Amino acid sequence: MDHFLYRDGALFAEDVPVAEIAAAVGTPFYCYSTATLERHFRLFDEALEGVDHLVCYAMKAASNQAILKTLAALGAGMDVVSGGEYARAIAAGVPGDRIVFSGVGKTCEEIATVLAGGIRQFNVESEPEMEAINAVALEMGVVAPITVRVNPDVDAKTHAKIATGKSENKFGIPISRAREVYAHAASLKGLKVVGIDVHIGSQLTQLEPFELAYRKVAELTEQLRSDGHEIIRLDLGGGLGIPYERSNSAPPLPMEYGAMVKRVLGHLDVEIEIEPGRLIAGNAGIMVSRVIYVKSGEDREFLIVDGAMNDLIRPAMYEAHHDIVPVIEAEPGLEPVRYDIVGPVCESGDTFAKGRAMTPLAAGDLIAFRSAGAYGAVMASEYNSRPLIPEVLVKGDQFAVIRRRPTYEEMINRDSIPTWL
Ligand SMILES: *Cc1c(COP(=O)(O)O)cnc(C)c1O
Protein backbone atom coordinates (compact mmCIF):
# COMPACT_ATOMS: atom_id res chain seq x y z
CA MET A 1 0.00 0.00 0.00
CA ASP A 2 1.19 3.51 -0.74
CA HIS A 3 -0.08 7.05 -0.39
CA PHE A 4 -0.39 7.94 -4.10
CA LEU A 5 -4.15 7.79 -4.56
CA TYR A 6 -6.79 9.48 -6.71
CA ARG A 7 -9.24 11.97 -5.31
CA ASP A 8 -11.99 13.06 -7.68
CA GLY A 9 -9.93 11.90 -10.64
CA ALA A 10 -6.69 13.66 -9.66
CA LEU A 11 -3.59 11.84 -8.42
CA PHE A 12 -2.46 12.97 -4.98
CA ALA A 13 0.78 12.40 -3.13
CA GLU A 14 -0.61 12.13 0.41
CA ASP A 15 -2.64 15.37 0.66
CA VAL A 16 -0.93 17.24 -2.18
CA PRO A 17 -2.19 17.18 -5.79
CA VAL A 18 0.65 15.89 -7.97
CA ALA A 19 -0.27 18.45 -10.65
CA GLU A 20 0.37 21.22 -8.13
CA ILE A 21 3.91 19.95 -7.53
CA ALA A 22 4.47 19.70 -11.29
CA ALA A 23 3.40 23.30 -11.71
CA ALA A 24 5.81 24.39 -8.98
CA VAL A 25 8.94 22.40 -9.89
CA GLY A 26 8.50 21.55 -13.57
CA THR A 27 8.77 18.08 -15.08
CA PRO A 28 10.16 15.50 -14.93
CA PHE A 29 10.69 14.98 -11.20
CA TYR A 30 10.69 12.31 -8.51
CA CYS A 31 8.18 12.57 -5.71
CA TYR A 32 8.38 10.58 -2.47
CA SER A 33 5.79 10.07 0.26
CA THR A 34 6.95 10.31 3.87
CA ALA A 35 3.99 8.27 5.14
CA THR A 36 4.81 5.44 2.74
CA LEU A 37 8.50 5.39 3.66
CA GLU A 38 7.60 5.32 7.35
CA ARG A 39 4.95 2.67 6.89
CA HIS A 40 7.32 0.35 5.05
CA PHE A 41 10.08 0.73 7.62
CA ARG A 42 7.62 -0.03 10.42
CA LEU A 43 6.32 -3.12 8.61
CA PHE A 44 9.80 -4.64 8.82
CA ASP A 45 10.39 -3.44 12.35
CA GLU A 46 7.11 -5.00 13.47
CA ALA A 47 7.69 -8.19 11.49
CA LEU A 48 10.74 -8.86 13.67
CA GLU A 49 9.08 -7.94 16.95
CA GLY A 50 10.06 -10.34 19.69
CA VAL A 51 13.63 -10.87 18.46
CA ASP A 52 16.55 -8.54 19.02
CA HIS A 53 16.88 -6.83 15.64
CA LEU A 54 17.97 -3.82 13.63
CA VAL A 55 16.52 -2.81 10.27
CA CYS A 56 19.38 -1.32 8.24
CA TYR A 57 17.92 0.49 5.24
CA ALA A 58 19.95 -0.35 2.10
CA MET A 59 20.41 3.27 1.13
CA LYS A 60 21.66 2.58 -2.37
CA ALA A 61 17.93 2.28 -3.25
CA ALA A 62 17.33 5.99 -2.59
CA SER A 63 19.88 8.02 -0.69
CA ASN A 64 18.66 11.60 -0.55
CA GLN A 65 19.51 13.15 2.82
CA ALA A 66 15.85 13.90 3.52
CA ILE A 67 14.91 10.24 2.98
CA LEU A 68 17.74 9.07 5.23
CA LYS A 69 16.72 11.52 7.96
CA THR A 70 13.09 10.42 7.73
CA LEU A 71 14.10 6.79 8.31
CA ALA A 72 16.86 7.50 10.83
CA ALA A 73 14.31 9.32 12.99
CA LEU A 74 12.41 6.03 13.29
CA GLY A 75 15.56 4.25 14.50
CA ALA A 76 16.68 2.81 11.18
CA GLY A 77 20.26 1.71 10.72
CA MET A 78 21.89 1.96 7.28
CA ASP A 79 23.52 -0.53 4.98
CA VAL A 80 26.18 1.34 3.00
CA VAL A 81 28.22 0.11 0.05
CA SER A 82 30.73 2.91 -0.47
CA GLY A 83 32.60 5.69 1.29
CA GLY A 84 30.18 8.13 -0.30
CA GLU A 85 27.17 6.36 1.18
CA TYR A 86 28.88 6.23 4.57
CA ALA A 87 29.42 10.01 4.38
CA ARG A 88 25.76 10.48 3.45
CA ALA A 89 24.60 8.34 6.38
CA ILE A 90 26.80 10.23 8.84
CA ALA A 91 25.66 13.58 7.38
CA ALA A 92 22.05 12.50 7.96
CA GLY A 93 22.88 11.94 11.63
CA VAL A 94 22.98 8.14 11.66
CA PRO A 95 25.36 6.99 14.41
CA GLY A 96 28.24 4.76 13.30
CA ASP A 97 27.04 1.90 15.49
CA ARG A 98 23.92 1.69 13.32
CA ILE A 99 25.85 1.54 10.01
CA VAL A 100 26.96 -1.70 8.34
CA PHE A 101 29.41 -1.59 5.45
CA SER A 102 28.78 -4.04 2.58
CA GLY A 103 30.27 -4.30 -0.91
CA VAL A 104 32.88 -6.38 -2.72
CA GLY A 105 35.56 -3.74 -3.24
CA LYS A 106 36.12 -1.67 -0.10
CA THR A 107 39.31 0.34 -0.52
CA CYS A 108 41.85 0.91 2.29
CA GLU A 109 40.92 4.58 2.22
CA GLU A 110 37.24 3.76 2.76
CA ILE A 111 38.09 1.25 5.48
CA ALA A 112 40.18 3.81 7.36
CA THR A 113 37.49 6.52 7.10
CA VAL A 114 34.82 4.18 8.39
CA LEU A 115 36.98 2.87 11.24
CA ALA A 116 37.72 6.44 12.31
CA GLY A 117 34.08 7.51 12.11
CA GLY A 118 32.58 4.43 13.78
CA ILE A 119 30.97 1.34 12.30
CA ARG A 120 28.71 -1.44 13.51
CA GLN A 121 30.39 -4.05 11.32
CA PHE A 122 32.10 -4.70 8.02
CA ASN A 123 30.44 -7.39 5.91
CA VAL A 124 33.59 -8.93 4.47
CA GLU A 125 33.32 -10.32 0.96
CA SER A 126 36.72 -11.96 0.33
CA GLU A 127 39.92 -13.03 2.03
CA PRO A 128 42.06 -10.26 0.49
CA GLU A 129 39.53 -7.75 1.81
CA MET A 130 39.70 -9.38 5.24
CA GLU A 131 43.48 -8.97 5.20
CA ALA A 132 43.12 -5.33 4.17
CA ILE A 133 40.66 -4.51 6.96
CA ASN A 134 42.93 -6.25 9.46
CA ALA A 135 45.98 -4.31 8.26
CA VAL A 136 44.23 -0.93 8.39
CA ALA A 137 42.76 -1.67 11.84
CA LEU A 138 46.15 -2.72 13.25
CA GLU A 139 47.78 0.39 11.83
CA MET A 140 45.12 2.54 13.51
CA GLY A 141 45.32 0.56 16.77
CA VAL A 142 41.64 -0.46 16.68
CA VAL A 143 39.69 -3.68 16.27
CA ALA A 144 37.28 -3.97 13.35
CA PRO A 145 34.00 -5.87 13.95
CA ILE A 146 33.27 -8.15 11.01
CA THR A 147 30.89 -10.67 9.59
CA VAL A 148 31.81 -12.73 6.54
CA ARG A 149 29.34 -12.65 3.68
CA VAL A 150 28.73 -16.21 2.65
CA ASN A 151 27.48 -17.19 -0.77
CA PRO A 152 25.01 -20.02 -0.19
CA ASP A 153 24.70 -21.00 -3.88
CA VAL A 154 20.95 -20.51 -3.91
CA ASP A 155 18.92 -19.47 -6.95
CA ALA A 156 17.05 -16.32 -5.99
CA LYS A 157 14.74 -16.72 -9.00
CA THR A 158 15.03 -13.08 -9.95
CA HIS A 159 16.49 -11.08 -12.88
CA ALA A 160 20.05 -12.24 -13.63
CA LYS A 161 21.47 -8.74 -13.11
CA ILE A 162 20.25 -8.62 -9.50
CA ALA A 163 20.87 -12.23 -8.42
CA THR A 164 23.82 -12.37 -6.03
CA GLY A 165 23.64 -15.70 -4.22
CA LYS A 166 24.80 -18.20 -6.86
CA SER A 167 28.35 -19.51 -6.94
CA GLU A 168 28.99 -17.76 -10.27
CA ASN A 169 28.21 -14.34 -8.75
CA LYS A 170 31.04 -12.12 -7.50
CA PHE A 171 29.57 -11.80 -4.01
CA GLY A 172 30.72 -13.37 -0.75
CA ILE A 173 32.80 -16.46 -0.12
CA PRO A 174 31.50 -19.94 -0.90
CA ILE A 175 29.66 -21.24 2.15
CA SER A 176 31.54 -24.52 1.79
CA ARG A 177 34.76 -22.67 2.68
CA ALA A 178 33.30 -20.64 5.52
CA ARG A 179 34.80 -22.57 8.44
CA GLU A 180 38.29 -22.23 7.00
CA VAL A 181 37.81 -18.49 6.40
CA TYR A 182 36.42 -17.90 9.90
CA ALA A 183 39.39 -19.78 11.39
CA HIS A 184 41.68 -17.42 9.51
CA ALA A 185 39.67 -14.38 10.63
CA ALA A 186 39.98 -15.46 14.26
CA SER A 187 43.76 -15.50 13.91
CA LEU A 188 43.89 -11.85 12.80
CA LYS A 189 44.37 -9.47 15.72
CA GLY A 190 42.79 -6.47 14.04
CA LEU A 191 39.43 -8.23 13.57
CA LYS A 192 36.62 -9.31 15.84
CA VAL A 193 34.15 -11.79 14.37
CA VAL A 194 30.58 -10.86 15.36
CA GLY A 195 28.43 -12.84 12.97
CA ILE A 196 27.51 -14.05 9.50
CA ASP A 197 26.14 -12.10 6.55
CA VAL A 198 24.15 -13.27 3.53
CA HIS A 199 22.33 -11.43 0.72
CA ILE A 200 21.11 -13.48 -2.22
CA GLY A 201 19.61 -10.87 -4.52
CA SER A 202 16.96 -8.28 -5.10
CA GLN A 203 13.29 -8.25 -6.16
CA LEU A 204 12.67 -11.76 -4.81
CA THR A 205 9.03 -12.66 -5.18
CA GLN A 206 9.06 -15.92 -3.19
CA LEU A 207 10.16 -16.80 0.32
CA GLU A 208 11.66 -20.20 -0.59
CA PRO A 209 15.08 -18.96 -1.78
CA PHE A 210 15.45 -16.87 1.39
CA GLU A 211 14.49 -19.84 3.51
CA LEU A 212 16.95 -22.15 1.74
CA ALA A 213 19.75 -19.64 2.30
CA TYR A 214 18.81 -18.98 5.93
CA ARG A 215 18.70 -22.71 6.72
CA LYS A 216 22.27 -22.96 5.46
CA VAL A 217 23.21 -19.96 7.62
CA ALA A 218 21.56 -21.56 10.67
CA GLU A 219 23.58 -24.72 10.15
CA LEU A 220 26.76 -22.70 9.69
CA THR A 221 26.04 -20.73 12.88
CA GLU A 222 26.04 -23.95 14.89
CA GLN A 223 29.20 -25.23 13.19
CA LEU A 224 31.06 -21.96 13.78
CA ARG A 225 29.98 -21.86 17.40
CA SER A 226 31.25 -25.38 17.90
CA ASP A 227 34.52 -24.21 16.32
CA GLY A 228 34.70 -21.61 19.10
CA HIS A 229 33.53 -18.48 17.27
CA GLU A 230 31.19 -16.03 18.89
CA ILE A 231 28.27 -15.58 16.50
CA ILE A 232 26.08 -12.91 18.09
CA ARG A 233 24.55 -11.45 14.94
CA LEU A 234 23.13 -12.62 11.63
CA ASP A 235 22.80 -10.11 8.80
CA LEU A 236 20.20 -11.54 6.45
CA GLY A 237 20.52 -8.95 3.65
CA GLY A 238 17.62 -7.39 1.80
CA GLY A 239 15.89 -8.36 -1.39
CA LEU A 240 12.20 -8.72 -0.66
CA GLY A 241 10.38 -7.77 -3.88
CA ILE A 242 7.57 -5.30 -4.50
CA PRO A 243 4.48 -5.56 -6.73
CA TYR A 244 5.60 -3.53 -9.77
CA GLU A 245 2.65 -4.79 -11.73
CA ARG A 246 -0.29 -4.33 -9.41
CA SER A 247 -2.68 -6.24 -11.59
CA ASN A 248 -0.82 -9.56 -11.40
CA SER A 249 1.83 -9.83 -8.73
CA ALA A 250 1.78 -10.21 -4.98
CA PRO A 251 5.21 -10.87 -3.44
CA PRO A 252 5.29 -12.04 0.19
CA LEU A 253 4.66 -9.38 2.81
CA PRO A 254 7.28 -8.30 5.38
CA MET A 255 5.13 -9.95 8.07
CA GLU A 256 5.36 -13.33 6.29
CA TYR A 257 9.08 -12.83 5.75
CA GLY A 258 9.56 -11.99 9.43
CA ALA A 259 7.58 -15.05 10.52
CA MET A 260 9.81 -17.25 8.34
CA VAL A 261 12.96 -15.65 9.79
CA LYS A 262 11.75 -16.36 13.33
CA ARG A 263 10.81 -19.92 12.41
CA VAL A 264 14.15 -20.70 10.75
CA LEU A 265 16.52 -18.76 12.99
CA GLY A 266 14.60 -18.02 16.19
CA HIS A 267 16.21 -20.85 18.17
CA LEU A 268 19.74 -19.50 17.69
CA ASP A 269 19.56 -16.63 20.20
CA VAL A 270 21.16 -14.15 17.83
CA GLU A 271 20.54 -10.54 16.95
CA ILE A 272 18.98 -10.24 13.48
CA GLU A 273 19.85 -7.52 11.00
CA ILE A 274 17.99 -7.07 7.74
CA GLU A 275 18.83 -4.71 4.89
CA PRO A 276 15.70 -3.90 2.89
CA GLY A 277 16.07 -1.20 0.26
CA ARG A 278 13.55 -1.63 -2.53
CA LEU A 279 10.63 -2.56 -0.31
CA ILE A 280 11.06 0.58 1.79
CA ALA A 281 11.59 3.10 -1.00
CA GLY A 282 10.17 1.51 -4.17
CA ASN A 283 6.48 2.19 -3.80
CA ALA A 284 7.19 5.33 -1.77
CA GLY A 285 8.21 7.18 -4.94
CA ILE A 286 6.84 8.07 -8.36
CA MET A 287 8.41 9.78 -11.34
CA VAL A 288 6.21 12.43 -12.90
CA SER A 289 6.62 13.31 -16.54
CA ARG A 290 4.77 15.31 -19.18
CA VAL A 291 3.74 14.23 -22.65
CA ILE A 292 5.66 16.27 -25.23
CA TYR A 293 4.17 14.78 -28.38
CA VAL A 294 1.81 12.08 -29.47
CA LYS A 295 3.31 10.72 -32.67
CA SER A 296 1.64 8.31 -35.04
CA GLY A 297 4.03 5.72 -36.43
CA GLU A 298 3.34 3.31 -39.27
CA ASP A 299 1.61 0.80 -37.03
CA ARG A 300 1.66 2.30 -33.56
CA GLU A 301 1.17 5.39 -31.45
CA PHE A 302 4.18 6.81 -29.65
CA LEU A 303 3.82 8.80 -26.49
CA ILE A 304 6.97 10.92 -26.34
CA VAL A 305 7.43 12.10 -22.76
CA ASP A 306 9.96 14.42 -21.12
CA GLY A 307 11.33 11.75 -18.75
CA ALA A 308 13.90 9.41 -20.23
CA MET A 309 16.16 6.44 -19.62
CA ASN A 310 18.77 8.69 -18.03
CA ASP A 311 16.20 9.65 -15.36
CA LEU A 312 14.76 6.15 -14.80
CA ILE A 313 16.94 3.42 -16.25
CA ARG A 314 15.20 0.34 -14.88
CA PRO A 315 13.15 -0.49 -18.00
CA ALA A 316 16.24 -0.19 -20.25
CA MET A 317 18.56 -1.99 -17.85
CA TYR A 318 16.40 -4.73 -16.35
CA GLU A 319 13.46 -4.91 -18.78
CA ALA A 320 11.55 -3.68 -15.74
CA HIS A 321 7.86 -2.94 -15.73
CA HIS A 322 6.50 0.26 -14.20
CA ASP A 323 2.79 0.93 -13.98
CA ILE A 324 2.21 4.25 -15.78
CA VAL A 325 -0.89 6.24 -14.89
CA PRO A 326 -2.39 9.59 -15.89
CA VAL A 327 -2.12 12.29 -13.23
CA ILE A 328 -5.60 13.48 -14.19
CA GLU A 329 -7.92 10.59 -14.96
CA ALA A 330 -9.80 10.65 -18.26
CA GLU A 331 -13.56 10.90 -18.45
CA PRO A 332 -15.08 7.47 -17.98
CA GLY A 333 -16.07 5.52 -21.08
CA LEU A 334 -13.14 6.42 -23.37
CA GLU A 335 -11.60 3.53 -25.30
CA PRO A 336 -8.03 2.84 -24.21
CA VAL A 337 -5.23 3.38 -26.72
CA ARG A 338 -2.07 1.26 -26.90
CA TYR A 339 1.02 3.44 -26.72
CA ASP A 340 4.74 2.90 -26.97
CA ILE A 341 5.88 5.23 -24.20
CA VAL A 342 9.34 6.61 -24.97
CA GLY A 343 11.71 9.35 -23.85
CA PRO A 344 13.63 11.89 -25.95
CA VAL A 345 17.07 10.23 -25.59
CA CYS A 346 18.79 9.14 -28.79
CA GLU A 347 18.61 5.39 -28.15
CA SER A 348 15.91 2.91 -29.05
CA GLY A 349 16.43 1.51 -25.54
CA ASP A 350 14.86 4.71 -24.25
CA THR A 351 11.51 2.96 -24.13
CA PHE A 352 9.48 2.70 -20.94
CA ALA A 353 6.68 0.51 -22.25
CA LYS A 354 5.49 -1.02 -25.51
CA GLY A 355 1.85 -1.28 -26.50
CA ARG A 356 0.71 -0.09 -23.09
CA ALA A 357 -3.05 0.41 -22.88
CA MET A 358 -3.82 3.87 -21.52
CA THR A 359 -6.78 6.19 -21.68
CA PRO A 360 -6.13 8.66 -24.53
CA LEU A 361 -3.47 11.25 -23.74
CA ALA A 362 -2.53 14.52 -25.41
CA ALA A 363 0.53 16.75 -25.47
CA GLY A 364 0.87 18.54 -22.15
CA ASP A 365 -0.77 15.79 -20.08
CA LEU A 366 1.03 14.57 -16.97
CA ILE A 367 1.75 10.91 -16.30
CA ALA A 368 3.24 9.15 -13.27
CA PHE A 369 5.56 6.15 -13.25
CA ARG A 370 4.67 4.18 -10.15
CA SER A 371 7.12 2.21 -7.99
CA ALA A 372 9.99 4.49 -9.02
CA GLY A 373 11.26 5.32 -5.53
CA ALA A 374 13.99 2.67 -5.44
CA TYR A 375 16.85 2.47 -7.95
CA GLY A 376 15.37 5.48 -9.72
CA ALA A 377 16.96 8.83 -8.85
CA VAL A 378 20.12 7.14 -7.56
CA MET A 379 20.79 5.52 -10.93
CA ALA A 380 20.12 8.66 -12.95
CA SER A 381 22.76 10.21 -15.18
CA GLU A 382 23.09 13.32 -17.30
CA TYR A 383 23.28 11.39 -20.57
CA ASN A 384 22.29 13.61 -23.50
CA SER A 385 23.18 16.54 -21.19
CA ARG A 386 19.86 16.28 -19.45
CA PRO A 387 20.34 17.72 -15.94
CA LEU A 388 19.50 15.39 -13.03
CA ILE A 389 15.82 15.77 -12.28
CA PRO A 390 14.62 17.19 -8.96
CA GLU A 391 13.44 15.15 -5.99
CA VAL A 392 10.45 16.25 -3.92
CA LEU A 393 9.33 14.92 -0.55
CA VAL A 394 5.71 15.14 0.56
CA LYS A 395 4.52 14.97 4.15
CA GLY A 396 0.80 15.37 4.69
CA ASP A 397 -0.24 18.59 2.98
CA GLN A 398 3.33 19.90 2.66
CA PHE A 399 5.95 19.30 0.02
CA ALA A 400 9.57 20.33 -0.29
CA VAL A 401 12.18 20.13 -3.02
CA ILE A 402 14.88 17.93 -1.49
CA ARG A 403 17.20 18.15 -4.48
CA ARG A 404 16.73 20.88 -6.99
CA ARG A 405 17.25 20.68 -10.71
CA PRO A 406 20.70 22.03 -11.64
CA THR A 407 20.86 24.76 -14.25
CA TYR A 408 22.60 24.13 -17.57
CA GLU A 409 25.32 26.46 -16.35
CA GLU A 410 25.92 24.42 -13.19
CA MET A 411 26.07 21.27 -15.26
CA ILE A 412 28.56 22.75 -17.72
CA ASN A 413 30.70 24.41 -15.05
CA ARG A 414 31.60 21.06 -13.51
CA ASP A 415 33.85 20.58 -16.54
CA SER A 416 37.18 22.36 -16.53
CA ILE A 417 39.28 23.47 -19.44
CA PRO A 418 42.95 22.49 -19.64
CA THR A 419 45.47 25.31 -20.00
CA TRP A 420 46.23 24.39 -23.63
CA LEU A 421 42.72 25.24 -24.80
C1 LIG B 1 21.31 -4.02 -2.72
C2 LIG B 1 21.54 -4.64 -1.42
C3 LIG B 1 20.50 -4.70 -0.48
C4 LIG B 1 19.12 -4.20 -0.74
O1 LIG B 1 18.42 -4.97 -1.65
P1 LIG B 1 16.88 -4.63 -1.93
O2 LIG B 1 16.48 -5.58 -2.96
O3 LIG B 1 16.81 -3.22 -2.37
O4 LIG B 1 16.14 -4.85 -0.64
C5 LIG B 1 20.80 -5.23 0.77
N1 LIG B 1 22.05 -5.69 1.07
C6 LIG B 1 23.05 -5.66 0.17
C7 LIG B 1 24.37 -6.18 0.57
C8 LIG B 1 22.84 -5.14 -1.09
O5 LIG B 1 23.83 -5.12 -1.98
Side-chain angles (χ1 to χ4, degrees):
M1 208 215 95
D2 62 50
H3 291 76
F4 298 100
L5 299 170
Y6 288 95
R7 291 186 197 168
D8 295 330
L11 187 66
F12 274 63
E14 301 190 19
D15 298 325
V16 184
V18 169
E20 189 180 312
I21 306 174
V25 307
T27 55
F29 65 93
Y30 280 100
C31 174
Y32 307 97
S33 149
T34 298
T36 314
L37 287 167
E38 292 181 340
R39 176 186 144 79
H40 290 162
F41 174 79
R42 290 204 177 100
L43 285 179
F44 278 110
D45 209 26
E46 286 161 17
L48 291 176
E49 216 163 35
V51 286
D52 197 5
H53 68 272
L54 182 66
V55 180
C56 293
Y57 170 59
M59 59 179 274
K60 73 175 192 282
S63 57
N64 188 290
Q65 290 292 290
I67 293 175
L68 302 187
K69 273 183 176 283
T70 298
L71 294 170
L74 303 181
M78 297 289 155
D79 170 48
V80 309
V81 293
S82 72
E85 284 196 349
Y86 180 81
R88 277 188 176 275
I90 294 288
V94 182
D97 65 7
R98 275 201 261 143
I99 304 176
V100 301
F101 191 3
S102 303
V104 293
K106 304 174 192 78
T107 66
C108 287
E109 201 182 350
E110 288 173 322
I111 293 165
T113 305
V114 159
L115 277 174
I119 188 79
R120 181 178 183 83
Q121 92 223 5
F122 291 88
N123 293 332
V124 176
E125 299 234 7
S126 67
E127 286 152 297
E129 185 186 79
M130 196 163 92
E131 299 282 351
I133 296 171
N134 179 58
V136 175
L138 288 177
E139 203 172 295
M140 294 172 69
V142 298
V143 174
I146 66 151
T147 71
V148 175
R149 176 168 176 180
V150 293
N151 185 325
D153 195 22
V154 164
D155 183 355
K157 303 205 169 77
T158 185
H159 192 280
K161 282 185 185 160
I162 48 176
T164 60
K166 284 288 285 176
S167 56
E168 71 255 30
N169 300 130
K170 68 181 176 182
F171 300 96
I173 59 133
I175 197 163
S176 55
R177 292 198 47 240
R179 292 174 86 173
E180 193 187 317
V181 173
Y182 272 87
H184 183 48
S187 74
L188 299 174
K189 300 277 177 291
L191 305 182
K192 162 132 186 62
V193 169
V194 295
I196 307 171
D197 172 46
V198 69
H199 170 73
I200 59 172
S202 195
Q203 186 53 19
L204 273 70
T205 52
Q206 301 166 33
L207 285 183
E208 287 74 21
F210 286 119
E211 180 162 349
L212 271 176
Y214 298 169
R215 286 201 182 281
K216 292 188 180 195
V217 168
E219 193 185 327
L220 179 63
T221 302
E222 281 167 352
Q223 286 171 349
L224 292 177
R225 281 177 172 169
S226 73
D227 292 346
H229 302 285
E230 227 183 319
I231 303 297
I232 58 168
R233 192 179 288 166
L234 298 181
D235 183 332
L236 303 178
L240 196 56
I242 64 170
Y244 279 103
E245 213 162 338
R246 272 148 218 247
S247 50
N248 73 0
S249 60
L253 303 170
M255 197 49 80
E256 299 168 287
Y257 171 84
M260 181 272 291
V261 165
K262 289 180 200 172
R263 179 160 50 75
V264 175
L265 303 166
H267 61 290
L268 291 169
D269 188 27
V270 275
E271 182 184 6
I272 299 291
E273 281 167 3
I274 54 169
E275 303 168 343
R278 189 187 307 271
L279 203 143
I280 290 180
N283 281 327
I286 58 175
M287 184 179 82
V288 179
S289 181
R290 196 180 288 280
V291 177
I292 310 175
Y293 299 114
V294 182
K295 169 173 161 175
S296 295
E298 183 112 35
D299 59 351
R300 63 193 65 214
E301 292 286 293
F302 292 101
L303 211 55
I304 302 173
V305 303
D306 63 2
M309 64 187 288
N310 69 297
D311 306 312
L312 177 63
I313 203 172
R314 298 191 64 262
M317 185 140 147
Y318 309 117
E319 292 109 31
H321 172 100
H322 285 270
D323 282 350
I324 304 171
V325 297
V327 168
I328 306 295
E329 279 184 320
E331 298 298 323
L334 289 175
E335 275 294 304
V337 179
R338 290 198 178 271
Y339 292 110
D340 281 16
I341 303 176
V342 302
V345 161
C346 303
E347 303 237 4
S348 293
D350 187 21
T351 298
F352 291 116
K354 284 195 165 161
R356 183 73 63 89
M358 307 273 293
T359 47
L361 285 155
D365 287 348
L366 293 168
I367 57 173
F369 293 75
R370 288 193 179 272
S371 314
Y375 308 105
V378 286
M379 294 181 98
S381 76
E382 289 182 342
Y383 185 39
N384 278 212
S385 286
R386 295 165 47 87
L388 292 181
I389 67 175
E391 293 178 283
V392 171
L393 182 63
V394 171
K395 183 180 171 69
D397 61 1
Q398 314 172 66
F399 72 92
V401 175
I402 56 174
R403 189 180 68 196
R404 66 177 180 78
R405 193 188 311 274
T407 62
Y408 289 150
E409 208 174 14
E410 285 169 320
M411 181 173 68
I412 295 164
N413 287 345
R414 287 206 309 272
D415 299 358
S416 41
I417 309 293
T419 51
W420 63 82
L421 283 176

